[in-house]
Amino acid sequence: MEKLESSLKNMLISLGGIALVCALLLSVVNALTEKKILKVTEAKTARAIAKVLPSYGGATIDTTVTLGGESFKVHKAMADDTTVAGYAIETSTAGFGGPLNLMVGFTSEGRICSTDVISHTETPGLGAKITDASSHFRTQFESRNPAEFNLAIKKNGGDVDAISASTITSQAFTSAVAKAYSVYLAASGNGADAVSSATPQAGEGGSDEAN
Amino acid sequence: MLVLGMCPTLGTTTSALNGMGMGLATLVVLTLSNIVISAVARFIPDKVRIPSYIVIISAFVTIIQLLMQAFLPSLYETLGLFIPLIVVNCIVLGRAEAFANKNTVLDSACDGLGIGLGFTLSLTVIGLVREILGSGSFFGWNFLQGDGILVFVLAPGAFLVLGLLMALFNKLTQGRA
């Protein structure tokens, strides 16, 4: 069985043909899986929202808030057509090992409902302890109002107990929650006059609501 | 002893299940690419054979990645970056170059399955040892409260376990080679 000669024509035809067939195959698979992947991603977001706003089931209104050059996804849980029951806000910061993505739930009065780690790359056994939702580090945020609870770890003069040996991760988690709070203030608007005195950063980042 | 495909071996074997998932993904890609490459090898001129193989392999890897993202999202999240890296796994290209392009489709399929199973087995064993020592669990089932010896879940532990297993393997096969 003789191999094809390496002439320019043969090379172009064979490599081009292979690339074409592969591209066709990929577009078919992509078309088949696209919807399913989208559904999986949506289900994941919905699960995270359900975790951080446990008392509000049902659909959410999704908006995007831009604050300080970053855009954040805000999921509003509606009590009825006009009243917002709570906000689930996606934030991210740089953790110790890479990006740290959180979902933070706020009640309509601005109390933190609960937090959920969407994805992280922290050190297993040390920083990765932030994923343990029943730990003191995670529960200490629950039902706190950041207006009277300084969102910084104690070493940096705040009120949050850090995880021992994971100061950077703890600080990253805490500042992500603080970021979510500024987004909450921008998104809710009504919370601004009640609590803005304690959080000067809320007024600084020009906020505009899109979508 | 030939040591190929170290990047996923060290990177993904933090638990037995992760190691097994990575091994199986590689097995599927390896078998499929071996089959296709052995079937089309004689239509590919020698000078463009490596790019052709890479295109075929990466197509299969992308298909696996999309399917895994759709149907096994939790595994996809843990393996994440390592799935696209199967493209540059030397085992896959190595078998295409050393075996599949000279042999029949059936032989190449068997070769892919065999090499893939061996790779899966070694990744699972490394993952299992690291999981037992590092997190005190067995295929995700915790038999120990609290943490294990953390270093085994971290990167240095991968080298330690790999080295020890290779030493053991050499000891067992001594005198036979």
Side-chain angles (χ1 to χ4, degrees):
Chain A
M1 188 159 53
E2 202 48 47
K3 278 219 162 195
L4 275 181
E5 188 203 344
S6 292
S7 67
L8 184 64
K9 190 180 127 222
N10 281 348
M11 290 197 288
L12 277 178
I13 291 174
S14 63
L15 189 52
I18 288 171
L20 197 70
V21 171
C22 288
L24 278 175
L25 203 62
L26 282 183
S27 50
V28 169
V29 175
N30 185 42
L32 289 177
T33 52
E34 204 177 13
K35 272 193 191 133
K36 177 82 182 155
I37 291 174
L38 199 68
K39 233 194 239 165
V40 167
T41 327
E42 272 170 6
K44 202 180 167 221
T45 315
R47 264 204 309 280
I49 295 173
K51 262 190 213 160
V52 299
L53 294 172
S55 39
Y56 317 103
T60 54
I61 297 179
D62 301 343
T63 54
T64 308
V65 170
T66 313
L67 196 65
E70 265 185 283
S71 64
F72 300 88
K73 277 191 188 144
V74 177
H75 309 274
K76 287 186 201 174
M78 307 304 286
D80 53 57
D81 285 346
T82 46
T83 9
V84 181
Y87 298 83
I89 295 163
E90 288 176 40
T91 57
S92 82
T93 46
F96 185 68
L100 175 62
N101 296 309
L102 299 185
M103 179 82 83
V104 186
F106 291 94
T107 63
S108 51
E109 309 92 61
R111 283 187 185 280
I112 298 171
C113 238
S114 186
T115 52
D116 187 42
V117 179
I118 297 173
S119 67
H120 74 97
T121 45
E122 302 309 296
T123 320
L126 296 170
K129 282 180 187 158
I130 51 167
T131 54
D132 180 3
S134 56
S135 63
H136 169 71
F137 179 75
R138 288 282 295 280
T139 52
Q140 67 182 329
F141 290 98
E142 284 168 17
S143 69
R144 299 281 190 170
N145 188 336
E148 53 224 28
F149 182 73
N150 189 354
L151 281 174
I153 56 171
K154 283 193 172 145
K155 196 177 164 190
N156 296 353
D159 292 328
V160 176
D161 291 319
I163 300 172
S164 19
S166 309
T167 311
I168 294 176
T169 305
S170 307
Q171 182 55 51
F173 187 99
T174 309
S175 61
V177 176
K179 224 194 239 179
Y181 184 62
S182 343
V183 176
Y184 157 78
L185 290 177
S188 63
N190 65 334
D193 54 299
V195 280
S196 62
S197 55
T199 51
Q201 77 270 31
E204 287 170 11
S207 67
D208 58 308
E209 215 155 339
N211 201 345
Chain B
M1 186 186 294
L2 192 60
V3 184
L4 280 181
M6 279 300 97
C7 153
T9 309
L10 298 171
T12 61
T13 53
T14 50
S15 74
L17 276 180
N18 285 355
M20 202 154 93
M22 184 65 198
L24 289 175
T26 314
L27 178 138
V28 174
V29 171
L30 186 57
T31 311
L32 291 175
S33 64
N34 259 7
I35 291 174
V36 171
I37 287 170
S38 65
V40 301
R42 67 193 147 111
F43 305 112
I44 302 173
D46 259 352
K47 277 186 185 161
V48 288
R49 90 182 174 276
I50 300 285
S52 307
Y53 298 168
I54 289 290
V55 171
I56 294 170
I57 294 166
S58 53
F60 281 123
V61 170
T62 315
I63 291 172
I64 297 285
Q65 185 183 4
L66 288 172
L67 290 176
M68 196 181 264
Q69 218 174 341
F71 299 103
L72 294 167
S74 58
L75 184 64
Y76 177 74
E77 257 164 56
T78 24
L79 298 181
L81 180 70
F82 288 97
I83 295 294
L85 282 180
I86 296 177
V87 177
V88 288
N89 190 324
C90 342
I91 296 176
V92 182
L93 189 60
R95 290 326 286 174
E97 178 70 6
F99 194 92
N101 67 356
K102 302 185 188 76
N103 288 282
T104 62
V105 174
L106 189 65
D107 285 351
S108 303
C110 295
D111 178 73
L113 274 178
I115 299 269
L117 280 177
F119 188 63
T120 309
L121 187 68
S122 35
L123 288 202
T124 313
V125 169
I126 297 172
L128 191 62
V129 173
R130 289 180 69 187
E131 192 183 346
I132 290 175
L133 294 175
S135 353
S137 59
F138 182 85
F139 278 96
W141 171 70
N142 262 58
F143 60 80
L144 201 77
Q145 282 298 310
D147 297 322
I149 313 164
L150 279 177
V151 71
F152 283 104
V153 193
L154 306 178
F159 287 97
L160 285 176
V161 172
L162 183 70
L164 291 172
L165 285 175
M166 275 171 71
L168 182 72
F169 192 75
N170 276 344
K171 176 79 187 157
L172 290 176
T173 53
Q174 211 173 33
R176 252 191 274 165

